[in-house]
Amino acid sequence: MYAPDKNVLESFTHDPAGSAAVASMIAEAAHDMRVSMNTIYGYVLLLLKNSSDPEQVEEYAHRIGLSCQELLTIVDQAEDLVVGTDNDAAPAKQEFAMSDLLTDVDRMIRPLAETERIHFNVLTTGLEHDIFLGDRGKLGRILINLLSGGIRHTGEGGRVTLRVLADTETDPHQTFLSFEIEDTGEGFGPEELKRLLGAVESDNGKAVSASGWNGVSMKLAATRKLAQQIGATISVQSRKDIGTTFIVSLRMPRVNEVEEDIWNRCGVKKVLFAGRSRMEGARIAALLTGAGLEARYVPAGKSIRQMLEEGAAMGQPYDLVLVDERLEDMTGEEALRYLRDLNHERNGDLFGRMILLYSVGEEPDEKTRRMADALMPRPFYLSMLKGLLEEMLPLSGQDKERTDSGEDAELTNPLQGMRILVAEDNALNADIAKELLELEGARCEIAGNGMAAVAMFRNSRPAYYDMILMDIQMPVMDGFQATRTIRRLPREDAENLSIIAMTGSILSEDIKRALEAGMNAHIAKPIDIRLLTDTIRRLRQKNKT
């Protein structure tokens, strides 16, 4: 438990300006929580309406989880500003795909924008390599805070845009990233802007007490603090009645991906992309070519036939066709129907599979989804395509044999057949985790506290458990001590067993303590199965190398 900062509490009670600031903070937090709750309620209604469609159920459930994370973030921000936490705590350093982060941000922000009837776009430039080492959680919170603030201060019919610019030329190992959050809202005058920024931080970098806030947004104060923790800078440009642009700048180390000849393993050598934007088509074709594939681009659906037939005539049909949601002469749905019928006429010898690219928030209907072999959210990222291919394309040769024999289960569902020990003191959370894991094919056992988890592991035969999900805050013995105790046990699997921390917050000090205690990774509660499976895949990949 963290103790509230006494200076902050005194300013709350003795300073009228501080009291006004606290009231403003509470009102803002209540508004943001209400928005998230309304979003959750809306998705629950959609989930019930589409309960017979497993893919839609999974998608709406994932979005409900993202909204729950936003609620937890609001609580974290309020706690972080009021309690005496260390602002200099080291940020978490994890491998993550920027494409996944931006997709999650889009899915969280777009419903807010649609509710306020605001146009929202995400644009990227130069982000060909999107695997980085850094604090995904804090960066995501910064972007969500600034975007939701932009939506809140932009009127109906306005526009909010997130532009991500990446520069890899100046440093072979790092990427200079610039995130521009632009809105067409009310904007700030020069004096308002100066007062707004000046009141957020004191000279020593700590968040100032409430008496110095003078009504400054809790969200902006928390955002500046998060930026400092991850080594980012925030600048702002604003004009009254024109709009505001916040610019978040930082350098992030790039991570070299382990290819393992993924294209051959998934049976993909030749790809055709069809879409209206010639600039986007040239970019995607260049990315695929640079990754070792033969890639072509066509802007119109009717142009595809000649290219496909030429490939088939030479005995080199296309393995994959990527169809954008809009082409020059038809929609993505019309293109899918046209290509499906064309391939059927030729007994399937023109191409292998089709993937439809779509904009988040404009998901295709069920009829369109059934015509495609898979769906992929825009913008296009190589890392996302690779992950999708591993899930959808048939395995070949040695990998197929290994999968059939039970090895490399992570190529399909990494949870299938795993035996997982869940250390969780809250009975309801434990039941939810158990049901979620068992739905994915895992076998699950529950320990009510850290000491019970240690005892269950100690009394099990070697290699009985494949993984432990360890809550960090439990009675009797917390997750940190339980992990240290397990790691010291005189048995071989104690050292190699994967232990993943489950944290109620994403404070960097909790994550750092988990890794120092001997845990391999962490996930935030409530459990998001997608994030858990991605984490397991990364851990298994590291174990191979």
Side-chain angles (χ1 to χ4, degrees):
M1 296 292 291
Y2 297 106
D5 188 309
K6 293 182 179 179
N7 293 330
V8 174
L9 290 180
E10 289 177 1
S11 66
F12 285 177
T13 55
H14 297 299
D15 184 0
S19 298
V22 173
S24 175
M25 262 189 3
I26 293 174
E28 182 177 357
H31 171 272
D32 291 343
M33 294 179 74
R34 190 175 295 110
V35 169
S36 293
M37 291 299 296
N38 287 337
T39 301
I40 292 171
Y41 179 69
Y43 281 133
V44 168
L45 294 179
L46 290 172
L47 188 150
L48 293 173
K49 184 178 180 180
N50 296 275
S51 59
S52 60
D53 184 343
E55 291 186 358
Q56 288 288 80
V57 168
E58 181 181 1
E59 177 64 25
Y60 291 137
H62 181 62
R63 294 190 183 194
I64 289 171
L66 292 176
S67 295
C68 290
Q69 290 294 342
E70 172 66 4
L71 281 172
L72 293 175
T73 295
I74 295 169
V75 174
D76 285 343
Q77 288 173 165
E79 178 187 55
D80 202 31
L81 287 173
V82 175
V83 302
T85 57
D86 182 5
N87 204 24
D88 296 323
K93 291 185 178 180
Q94 298 175 295
E95 291 183 18
F96 71 94
M98 189 66 69
S99 56
D100 292 341
L101 172 61
L102 295 179
T103 299
D104 283 347
V105 168
D106 194 329
R107 284 173 169 160
M108 188 172 291
I109 292 298
R110 192 168 296 278
L112 305 181
E114 291 174 348
T115 300
E116 301 297 331
R117 294 182 173 86
I118 292 170
H119 303 287
F120 174 60
N121 290 305
V122 178
L123 307 173
T124 63
T125 301
L127 200 60
E128 283 74 25
H129 185 113
D130 77 317
I131 306 298
F132 296 96
L133 184 67
D135 197 319
R136 182 189 193 276
K138 282 183 167 54
L139 178 57
R141 285 169 63 179
I142 290 170
L143 297 179
I144 289 169
N145 286 353
L146 294 177
L147 286 166
S148 59
I151 289 172
R152 185 175 181 184
H153 293 94
T154 299
E156 181 176 331
R159 185 175 299 275
V160 174
T161 303
L162 169 61
R163 292 187 182 87
V164 185
L165 310 175
D167 177 8
T168 60
E169 295 182 358
T170 57
D171 191 320
H173 305 295
Q174 292 187 321
T175 297
F176 179 78
L177 293 164
S178 176
F179 301 86
E180 299 180 359
I181 297 91
E182 178 185 273
D183 67 62
T184 59
E186 57 196 36
F188 301 99
E191 291 302 318
E192 290 178 304
L193 188 60
K194 182 178 179 181
R195 184 167 59 252
L196 183 69
L197 294 177
V200 174
E201 293 180 342
S202 64
D203 292 338
N204 63 6
K206 301 279 186 179
V208 299
S209 68
S211 61
W213 287 348
N214 296 322
V216 168
S217 162
M218 175 189 75
K219 191 167 290 184
L220 181 56
T223 301
R224 290 290 297 271
K225 189 174 181 181
L226 288 168
Q228 183 186 51
Q229 290 175 353
I230 66 172
T233 62
I234 299 181
S235 59
V236 61
Q237 303 167 358
S238 186
R239 294 178 62 186
K240 191 69 174 177
D241 300 323
I242 299 297
T244 302
T245 300
F246 283 93
I247 303 174
V248 181
S249 304
L250 77 160
R251 293 185 181 276
M252 297 192 75
R254 297 193 296 274
V255 177
N256 292 324
E257 299 179 77
V258 179
E259 292 291 340
E260 288 192 4
D261 200 16
I262 184 173
W263 307 121
N264 285 333
R265 178 155 54 83
C266 294
V268 174
K269 298 179 181 178
K270 194 172 181 180
V271 182
L272 178 63
F273 172 69
R276 180 174 63 181
S277 171
R278 294 175 182 266
M279 183 178 297
E280 179 71 356
R283 183 184 78 87
I284 291 176
L287 282 175
L288 294 170
T289 301
L293 299 174
E294 180 181 346
R296 301 289 297 276
Y297 160 67
V298 292
K302 298 300 183 182
S303 306
I304 300 176
R305 179 169 191 156
Q306 180 180 356
M307 197 165 290
L308 291 176
E309 289 180 343
E310 288 176 355
M314 293 186 295
Q316 298 176 349
Y318 284 87
D319 303 301
L320 179 66
V321 178
L322 301 173
V323 180
D324 204 0
E325 58 189 351
R326 292 179 183 86
L327 286 73
E328 285 187 348
D329 56 352
M330 60 181 67
T331 66
E333 177 184 353
E334 291 169 340
L336 288 175
R337 185 179 298 108
Y338 173 71
L339 291 172
R340 180 195 62 184
D341 294 344
L342 187 62
N343 205 32
H344 180 71
E345 292 175 6
R346 295 289 300 268
N347 298 316
D349 68 348
L350 291 181
F351 61 88
R353 302 293 182 95
M354 289 191 297
I355 295 179
L356 176 66
L357 277 67
Y358 70 94
S359 297
V360 176
E362 299 179 16
E363 285 80 355
D365 59 25
E366 179 59 23
K367 181 174 65 174
T368 305
R369 295 164 72 97
R370 289 177 180 175
M371 287 190 288
D373 293 291
L375 303 178
M376 180 175 169
R378 303 173 73 245
F380 176 89
Y381 297 100
L382 270 176
S383 62
M384 190 173 292
L385 176 63
K386 292 173 183 177
L388 189 59
L389 287 174
E390 284 196 321
E391 295 177 4
M392 66 172 281
L393 292 180
L395 303 176
S396 60
Q398 182 180 359
D399 288 314
K400 181 67 167 61
E401 295 174 2
R402 290 165 63 190
T403 302
D404 289 342
S405 66
E407 299 179 23
D408 282 354
E410 70 271 19
L411 294 176
T412 50
N413 178 7
L415 289 169
Q416 181 68 43
M418 291 186 70
R419 188 186 302 276
I420 300 174
L421 175 60
V422 177
E424 169 63 72
D425 63 301
N426 183 289
L428 178 59
N429 288 344
D431 287 343
I432 292 174
K434 187 174 189 295
E435 185 166 348
L436 286 172
L437 293 169
E438 289 180 347
L439 284 172
E440 296 296 318
R443 291 169 288 183
C444 185
E445 299 179 15
I446 304 296
N449 56 61
M451 185 173 291
V454 172
M456 291 175 69
F457 177 77
R458 181 190 291 118
N459 295 330
S460 67
R461 65 177 182 271
Y464 177 76
Y465 292 111
D466 298 297
M467 184 177 70
I468 297 178
L469 293 178
M470 184 76 74
D471 187 17
I472 63 173
Q473 293 184 336
M474 294 182 289
V476 184
M477 179 185 290
D478 63 30
F480 304 120
Q481 183 59 44
T483 299
R484 285 191 288 266
T485 303
I486 288 173
R487 294 300 191 204
R488 290 196 296 264
L489 291 175
R491 45 189 285 177
E492 183 177 351
D493 59 340
E495 182 180 352
N496 301 324
L497 178 70
S498 293
I499 303 178
I500 298 178
M502 297 189 297
T503 61
S505 69
I506 53 175
L507 296 176
S508 60
E509 51 265 38
D510 286 343
I511 298 170
K512 181 181 178 183
R513 288 183 63 194
L515 297 177
E516 290 176 344
M519 301 187 199
N520 304 92
H522 84 282
I523 58 173
K525 294 194 297 183
I527 292 176
D528 184 319
I529 288 295
R530 294 187 187 184
L531 295 180
L532 177 59
T533 55
D534 287 345
T535 300
I536 294 172
R537 287 191 183 100
R538 285 197 299 270
L539 289 177
R540 288 182 172 178
Q541 188 63 58
K542 286 183 178 179
N543 290 338
K544 286 181 181 180
T545 57

